[in-house]
Amino acid sequence: MSRLSLIKLGTISYSEGLTQQSKFAEIVKKSLTNGLPRHFLLLLQHNPVYTVGIRSNTVSEEEERRLVYLGADFHRTSRGGLITFHGPGQLVVYPILALKGLRDSTGKVLGVRRYVEQLEECIIRTASESGVKGVDRVDGLPGVWVGGRRKLASLGVSVQHGVTGHGLALNCDVDLAWFDKIVACGISGVEMTSLLRETFPSTHSVDCSVATVIPRIVDAFSQSFHLEANRVTVDEDPSAYEIVTPNSSRIG
């Protein structure tokens, strides 16, 4: 079983997230040259930011200025997908993987489409573990949904030279009011939701914090991609990392 290195980055700016993705992507690219592919899972939250994917012309400069005035950053990116929001209370996962080094349950090398489906499976498993039922894909609509029209998580990926980038954003206990300022994901009438909203009120207390959800999504990722998760710490040079809890996917 291949090893999946977990990188916990805390709450960072979107720009810093791009920098970290680039650093780890270089490590993965180098690993492909020696036939020993590496895989990293970056786990983080972002400071409030609105982002739009490769079809950035769907958001005018005037609209960008309006959103920045609300107190959020704004970025035009190379990922797929339209406009969305990232902020505290939302778990962002950037898988930096050697795609050709991964296989599905049938033993076939993962293509981009199957890779996205696997990410969706991870979110569905994680939501179920958090007590949210009825989570699924909706034909023709990207992301993962509850009840058909309430969007729980967004996906936007990139693949360059066989290495994956960007990833998924799962609403844990994020302030959903930020989404009211945009047409989320370019889908009119979409209602954004969160794990907290879907489990409240409940007959028992449900912890939907990012810290609680992280180990659940790591377990789901390990199972879906057949990878053994190991927690690591990094310094200024991400190539100099240390495995501190080998053979364990449980992190706090």
Side-chain angles (χ1 to χ4, degrees):
M1 182 179 290
S2 298
R3 177 173 293 168
L4 175 68
S5 297
L6 310 178
I7 312 295
K8 295 180 70 178
L9 295 174
T11 302
I12 60 176
S13 68
Y14 192 77
S15 294
E16 179 61 19
L18 293 175
T19 297
Q20 293 294 332
Q21 287 187 70
S22 179
K23 289 180 179 180
F24 285 100
E26 286 303 312
I27 298 174
V28 175
K29 288 177 185 176
K30 291 179 181 178
S31 76
L32 290 172
T33 63
N34 60 22
L36 298 172
R38 301 289 306 283
H39 308 286
F40 294 95
L41 201 63
L42 277 53
L43 303 153
L44 59 130
Q45 299 177 73
H46 277 309
N47 297 322
V49 58
Y50 290 101
T51 72
V52 63
I54 54 177
R55 289 183 284 171
S56 63
N57 59 355
T58 57
V59 179
S60 68
E61 292 184 1
E62 180 181 0
E63 177 71 356
E64 177 180 341
R65 288 192 293 270
R66 181 184 72 84
L67 294 174
V68 170
Y69 182 77
L70 297 174
D73 290 334
F74 186 92
H75 281 270
R76 298 176 188 270
T77 77
S78 62
R79 64 165 171 79
L82 297 174
I83 191 167
T84 192
F85 171 79
H86 300 304
Q90 181 190 74
L91 174 57
V92 175
V93 181
Y94 293 138
I96 313 297
L97 313 173
L99 195 59
K100 292 182 179 179
L102 299 175
R103 299 181 182 277
D104 64 17
S105 58
T106 67
K108 294 182 179 179
V109 174
L110 287 183
V112 176
R113 181 174 180 177
R114 181 56 182 151
Y115 167 63
V116 172
E117 291 174 347
Q118 293 281 81
L119 291 181
E120 291 172 336
E121 288 291 347
C122 289
I123 298 168
I124 292 169
R125 282 186 183 179
T126 302
S128 178
E129 286 295 317
S130 301
V132 178
K133 307 300 180 183
V135 184
D136 207 348
R137 309 176 186 89
V138 175
D139 289 342
L141 297 177
V144 174
W145 303 73
V146 182
R149 293 300 297 181
R150 299 192 304 279
K151 192 168 189 180
L152 180 66
S154 301
L155 289 88
V157 306
S158 65
V159 180
Q160 297 182 350
H161 308 293
V163 179
T164 66
H166 296 281
L168 65 90
L170 172 59
N171 296 330
C172 297
D173 55 2
V174 64
D175 180 359
L176 294 172
W178 286 101
F179 290 100
D180 295 338
K181 314 301 181 183
I182 58 174
V183 179
C185 306
I187 306 172
S188 298
V190 64
E191 180 182 2
M192 300 301 294
T193 190
S194 66
L195 294 176
L196 180 63
R197 180 178 178 181
E198 294 298 328
T199 55
F200 181 85
S202 176
T203 56
H204 61 282
S205 178
V206 179
D207 185 353
C208 296
S209 66
V210 168
T212 298
V213 174
I214 281 179
R216 296 172 184 166
I217 203 163
V218 168
D219 284 345
F221 205 95
S222 298
Q223 293 173 39
S224 293
F225 289 89
H226 309 291
L227 294 168
E228 179 182 10
N230 296 278
R231 181 177 177 179
V232 305
T233 57
V234 296
D235 54 19
E236 291 292 328
D237 177 7
S239 64
Y241 67 92
E242 177 185 5
I243 298 173
V244 294
T245 55
N247 303 318
S248 174
S249 62
R250 292 289 177 184
I251 60 177

PDB file of all heavy atoms in Angstrom, residues 52 55-68 74 76 83:
ATOM      1  N   VAL A  52     -12.681  32.046  -8.195  1.00  0.00           N
ATOM      2  CA  VAL A  52     -13.363  31.629  -9.412  1.00  0.00           C
ATOM      3  C   VAL A  52     -12.370  30.840 -10.243  1.00  0.00           C
ATOM      4  O   VAL A  52     -11.154  31.095 -10.198  1.00  0.00           O
ATOM      5  CB  VAL A  52     -13.909  32.850 -10.193  1.00  0.00           C
ATOM      6  CG1 VAL A  52     -12.795  33.756 -10.665  1.00  0.00           C
ATOM      7  CG2 VAL A  52     -14.796  32.398 -11.348  1.00  0.00           C
ATOM      8  N   ARG A  55     -12.915  29.792 -15.877  1.00  0.00           N
ATOM      9  CA  ARG A  55     -13.864  30.667 -16.584  1.00  0.00           C
ATOM     10  C   ARG A  55     -14.066  31.953 -15.777  1.00  0.00           C
ATOM     11  O   ARG A  55     -15.174  32.354 -15.452  1.00  0.00           O
ATOM     12  CB  ARG A  55     -15.182  29.944 -16.812  1.00  0.00           C
ATOM     13  CG  ARG A  55     -15.092  28.833 -17.861  1.00  0.00           C
ATOM     14  CD  ARG A  55     -16.448  28.191 -18.089  1.00  0.00           C
ATOM     15  NE  ARG A  55     -16.794  27.300 -16.996  1.00  0.00           N
ATOM     16  CZ  ARG A  55     -18.001  26.740 -16.845  1.00  0.00           C
ATOM     17  NH1 ARG A  55     -18.964  27.008 -17.701  1.00  0.00           N
ATOM     18  NH2 ARG A  55     -18.227  25.918 -15.845  1.00  0.00           N
ATOM     19  N   SER A  56     -12.968  32.616 -15.466  1.00  0.00           N
ATOM     20  CA  SER A  56     -13.019  33.779 -14.587  1.00  0.00           C
ATOM     21  C   SER A  56     -13.716  34.979 -15.220  1.00  0.00           C
ATOM     22  O   SER A  56     -14.067  35.935 -14.524  1.00  0.00           O
ATOM     23  CB  SER A  56     -11.599  34.184 -14.161  1.00  0.00           C
ATOM     24  OG  SER A  56     -10.826  34.581 -15.275  1.00  0.00           O
ATOM     25  N   ASN A  57     -13.933  34.938 -16.543  1.00  0.00           N
ATOM     26  CA  ASN A  57     -14.628  36.047 -17.190  1.00  0.00           C
ATOM     27  C   ASN A  57     -16.099  36.105 -16.802  1.00  0.00           C
ATOM     28  O   ASN A  57     -16.811  37.041 -17.162  1.00  0.00           O
ATOM     29  CB  ASN A  57     -14.485  35.961 -18.720  1.00  0.00           C
ATOM     30  CG  ASN A  57     -15.051  34.667 -19.295  1.00  0.00           C
ATOM     31  OD1 ASN A  57     -15.478  33.788 -18.550  1.00  0.00           O
ATOM     32  ND2 ASN A  57     -15.042  34.559 -20.607  1.00  0.00           N
ATOM     33  N   THR A  58     -16.560  35.115 -16.053  1.00  0.00           N
ATOM     34  CA  THR A  58     -17.940  35.131 -15.571  1.00  0.00           C
ATOM     35  C   THR A  58     -18.113  36.093 -14.398  1.00  0.00           C
ATOM     36  O   THR A  58     -19.242  36.355 -13.979  1.00  0.00           O
ATOM     37  CB  THR A  58     -18.383  33.720 -15.135  1.00  0.00           C
ATOM     38  OG1 THR A  58     -17.476  33.229 -14.126  1.00  0.00           O
ATOM     39  CG2 THR A  58     -18.378  32.758 -16.324  1.00  0.00           C
ATOM     40  N   VAL A  59     -17.008  36.586 -13.848  1.00  0.00           N
ATOM     41  CA  VAL A  59     -17.053  37.550 -12.748  1.00  0.00           C
ATOM     42  C   VAL A  59     -16.377  38.838 -13.208  1.00  0.00           C
ATOM     43  O   VAL A  59     -15.186  38.841 -13.516  1.00  0.00           O
ATOM     44  CB  VAL A  59     -16.345  37.005 -11.484  1.00  0.00           C
ATOM     45  CG1 VAL A  59     -16.395  38.043 -10.368  1.00  0.00           C
ATOM     46  CG2 VAL A  59     -16.996  35.706 -11.024  1.00  0.00           C
ATOM     47  N   SER A  60     -17.119  39.919 -13.258  1.00  0.00           N
ATOM     48  CA  SER A  60     -16.583  41.199 -13.723  1.00  0.00           C
ATOM     49  C   SER A  60     -15.682  41.823 -12.670  1.00  0.00           C
ATOM     50  O   SER A  60     -15.714  41.443 -11.488  1.00  0.00           O
ATOM     51  CB  SER A  60     -17.727  42.158 -14.047  1.00  0.00           C
ATOM     52  OG  SER A  60     -18.417  42.526 -12.854  1.00  0.00           O
ATOM     53  N   GLU A  61     -14.899  42.801 -13.084  1.00  0.00           N
ATOM     54  CA  GLU A  61     -14.042  43.514 -12.138  1.00  0.00           C
ATOM     55  C   GLU A  61     -14.883  44.282 -11.128  1.00  0.00           C
ATOM     56  O   GLU A  61     -14.499  44.424  -9.959  1.00  0.00           O
ATOM     57  CB  GLU A  61     -13.106  44.448 -12.893  1.00  0.00           C
ATOM     58  CG  GLU A  61     -12.061  43.721 -13.728  1.00  0.00           C
ATOM     59  CD  GLU A  61     -11.079  44.680 -14.381  1.00  0.00           C
ATOM     60  OE1 GLU A  61     -11.211  45.904 -14.149  1.00  0.00           O
ATOM     61  OE2 GLU A  61     -10.189  44.200 -15.117  1.00  0.00           O
ATOM     62  N   GLU A  62     -16.036  44.791 -11.569  1.00  0.00           N
ATOM     63  CA  GLU A  62     -16.933  45.492 -10.646  1.00  0.00           C
ATOM     64  C   GLU A  62     -17.448  44.542  -9.567  1.00  0.00           C
ATOM     65  O   GLU A  62     -17.495  44.893  -8.375  1.00  0.00           O
ATOM     66  CB  GLU A  62     -18.113  46.082 -11.413  1.00  0.00           C
ATOM     67  CG  GLU A  62     -19.109  46.825 -10.533  1.00  0.00           C
ATOM     68  CD  GLU A  62     -20.287  47.375 -11.314  1.00  0.00           C
ATOM     69  OE1 GLU A  62     -20.343  47.180 -12.552  1.00  0.00           O
ATOM     70  OE2 GLU A  62     -21.167  48.002 -10.684  1.00  0.00           O
ATOM     71  N   GLU A  63     -17.809  43.317  -9.972  1.00  0.00           N
ATOM     72  CA  GLU A  63     -18.259  42.321  -9.014  1.00  0.00           C
ATOM     73  C   GLU A  63     -17.133  41.934  -8.066  1.00  0.00           C
ATOM     74  O   GLU A  63     -17.353  41.754  -6.860  1.00  0.00           O
ATOM     75  CB  GLU A  63     -18.768  41.080  -9.760  1.00  0.00           C
ATOM     76  CG  GLU A  63     -19.199  39.920  -8.872  1.00  0.00           C
ATOM     77  CD  GLU A  63     -20.488  40.182  -8.112  1.00  0.00           C
ATOM     78  OE1 GLU A  63     -21.032  41.293  -8.201  1.00  0.00           O
ATOM     79  OE2 GLU A  63     -20.943  39.253  -7.421  1.00  0.00           O
ATOM     80  N   GLU A  64     -15.936  41.816  -8.581  1.00  0.00           N
ATOM     81  CA  GLU A  64     -14.773  41.515  -7.735  1.00  0.00           C
ATOM     82  C   GLU A  64     -14.593  42.580  -6.664  1.00  0.00           C
ATOM     83  O   GLU A  64     -14.377  42.270  -5.481  1.00  0.00           O
ATOM     84  CB  GLU A  64     -13.520  41.414  -8.601  1.00  0.00           C
ATOM     85  CG  GLU A  64     -12.248  41.165  -7.809  1.00  0.00           C
ATOM     86  CD  GLU A  64     -11.016  41.073  -8.691  1.00  0.00           C
ATOM     87  OE1 GLU A  64     -11.159  40.836  -9.910  1.00  0.00           O
ATOM     88  OE2 GLU A  64      -9.903  41.236  -8.153  1.00  0.00           O
ATOM     89  N   ARG A  65     -14.689  43.850  -7.059  1.00  0.00           N
ATOM     90  CA  ARG A  65     -14.528  44.945  -6.091  1.00  0.00           C
ATOM     91  C   ARG A  65     -15.624  44.904  -5.025  1.00  0.00           C
ATOM     92  O   ARG A  65     -15.367  45.166  -3.843  1.00  0.00           O
ATOM     93  CB  ARG A  65     -14.544  46.295  -6.815  1.00  0.00           C
ATOM     94  CG  ARG A  65     -13.287  46.580  -7.625  1.00  0.00           C
ATOM     95  CD  ARG A  65     -13.237  48.027  -8.069  1.00  0.00           C
ATOM     96  NE  ARG A  65     -14.288  48.336  -9.029  1.00  0.00           N
ATOM     97  CZ  ARG A  65     -14.157  48.216 -10.345  1.00  0.00           C
ATOM     98  NH1 ARG A  65     -13.014  47.782 -10.856  1.00  0.00           N
ATOM     99  NH2 ARG A  65     -15.155  48.533 -11.159  1.00  0.00           N
ATOM    100  N   ARG A  66     -16.845  44.544  -5.424  1.00  0.00           N
ATOM    101  CA  ARG A  66     -17.944  44.448  -4.455  1.00  0.00           C
ATOM    102  C   ARG A  66     -17.669  43.390  -3.401  1.00  0.00           C
ATOM    103  O   ARG A  66     -17.893  43.595  -2.200  1.00  0.00           O
ATOM    104  CB  ARG A  66     -19.252  44.128  -5.186  1.00  0.00           C
ATOM    105  CG  ARG A  66     -20.468  44.030  -4.242  1.00  0.00           C
ATOM    106  CD  ARG A  66     -21.721  43.620  -4.994  1.00  0.00           C
ATOM    107  NE  ARG A  66     -21.697  42.220  -5.394  1.00  0.00           N
ATOM    108  CZ  ARG A  66     -22.068  41.208  -4.598  1.00  0.00           C
ATOM    109  NH1 ARG A  66     -22.464  41.434  -3.346  1.00  0.00           N
ATOM    110  NH2 ARG A  66     -22.032  39.963  -5.036  1.00  0.00           N
ATOM    111  N   LEU A  67     -17.157  42.249  -3.840  1.00  0.00           N
ATOM    112  CA  LEU A  67     -16.887  41.153  -2.912  1.00  0.00           C
ATOM    113  C   LEU A  67     -15.725  41.480  -1.976  1.00  0.00           C
ATOM    114  O   LEU A  67     -15.764  41.157  -0.781  1.00  0.00           O
ATOM    115  CB  LEU A  67     -16.598  39.873  -3.700  1.00  0.00           C
ATOM    116  CG  LEU A  67     -17.785  39.336  -4.506  1.00  0.00           C
ATOM    117  CD1 LEU A  67     -17.359  38.146  -5.362  1.00  0.00           C
ATOM    118  CD2 LEU A  67     -18.945  38.942  -3.594  1.00  0.00           C
ATOM    119  N   VAL A  68     -14.717  42.130  -2.501  1.00  0.00           N
ATOM    120  CA  VAL A  68     -13.585  42.533  -1.662  1.00  0.00           C
ATOM    121  C   VAL A  68     -14.041  43.544  -0.604  1.00  0.00           C
ATOM    122  O   VAL A  68     -13.571  43.527   0.543  1.00  0.00           O
ATOM    123  CB  VAL A  68     -12.456  43.123  -2.539  1.00  0.00           C
ATOM    124  CG1 VAL A  68     -11.381  43.765  -1.666  1.00  0.00           C
ATOM    125  CG2 VAL A  68     -11.847  42.038  -3.419  1.00  0.00           C
ATOM    126  N   PHE A  74     -10.037  37.986  -2.991  1.00  0.00           N
ATOM    127  CA  PHE A  74     -10.595  37.483  -4.245  1.00  0.00           C
ATOM    128  C   PHE A  74      -9.462  36.955  -5.101  1.00  0.00           C
ATOM    129  O   PHE A  74      -8.426  37.600  -5.241  1.00  0.00           O
ATOM    130  CB  PHE A  74     -11.349  38.585  -4.998  1.00  0.00           C
ATOM    131  CG  PHE A  74     -12.066  38.090  -6.225  1.00  0.00           C
ATOM    132  CD1 PHE A  74     -13.385  37.684  -6.148  1.00  0.00           C
ATOM    133  CD2 PHE A  74     -11.414  37.992  -7.450  1.00  0.00           C
ATOM    134  CE1 PHE A  74     -14.057  37.210  -7.271  1.00  0.00           C
ATOM    135  CE2 PHE A  74     -12.067  37.520  -8.569  1.00  0.00           C
ATOM    136  CZ  PHE A  74     -13.389  37.126  -8.480  1.00  0.00           C
ATOM    137  N   ARG A  76      -8.574  34.693  -8.889  1.00  0.00           N
ATOM    138  CA  ARG A  76      -8.911  33.978 -10.122  1.00  0.00           C
ATOM    139  C   ARG A  76      -7.896  32.848 -10.242  1.00  0.00           C
ATOM    140  O   ARG A  76      -6.682  33.088 -10.172  1.00  0.00           O
ATOM    141  CB  ARG A  76      -8.853  34.930 -11.321  1.00  0.00           C
ATOM    142  CG  ARG A  76      -9.860  36.074 -11.190  1.00  0.00           C
ATOM    143  CD  ARG A  76      -9.748  37.091 -12.317  1.00  0.00           C
ATOM    144  NE  ARG A  76     -10.598  38.246 -12.050  1.00  0.00           N
ATOM    145  CZ  ARG A  76     -11.871  38.362 -12.436  1.00  0.00           C
ATOM    146  NH1 ARG A  76     -12.421  37.385 -13.146  1.00  0.00           N
ATOM    147  NH2 ARG A  76     -12.584  39.438 -12.141  1.00  0.00           N
ATOM    148  N   ILE A  83     -17.566  30.417  -9.346  1.00  0.00           N
ATOM    149  CA  ILE A  83     -17.253  31.147  -8.122  1.00  0.00           C
ATOM    150  C   ILE A  83     -17.745  30.416  -6.879  1.00  0.00           C
ATOM    151  O   ILE A  83     -18.826  29.799  -6.868  1.00  0.00           O
ATOM    152  CB  ILE A  83     -17.846  32.570  -8.170  1.00  0.00           C
ATOM    153  CG1 ILE A  83     -17.296  33.414  -7.017  1.00  0.00           C
ATOM    154  CG2 ILE A  83     -19.372  32.533  -8.172  1.00  0.00           C
ATOM    155  CD1 ILE A  83     -17.569  34.888  -7.172  1.00  0.00           C
TER     156      ILE A  83
END
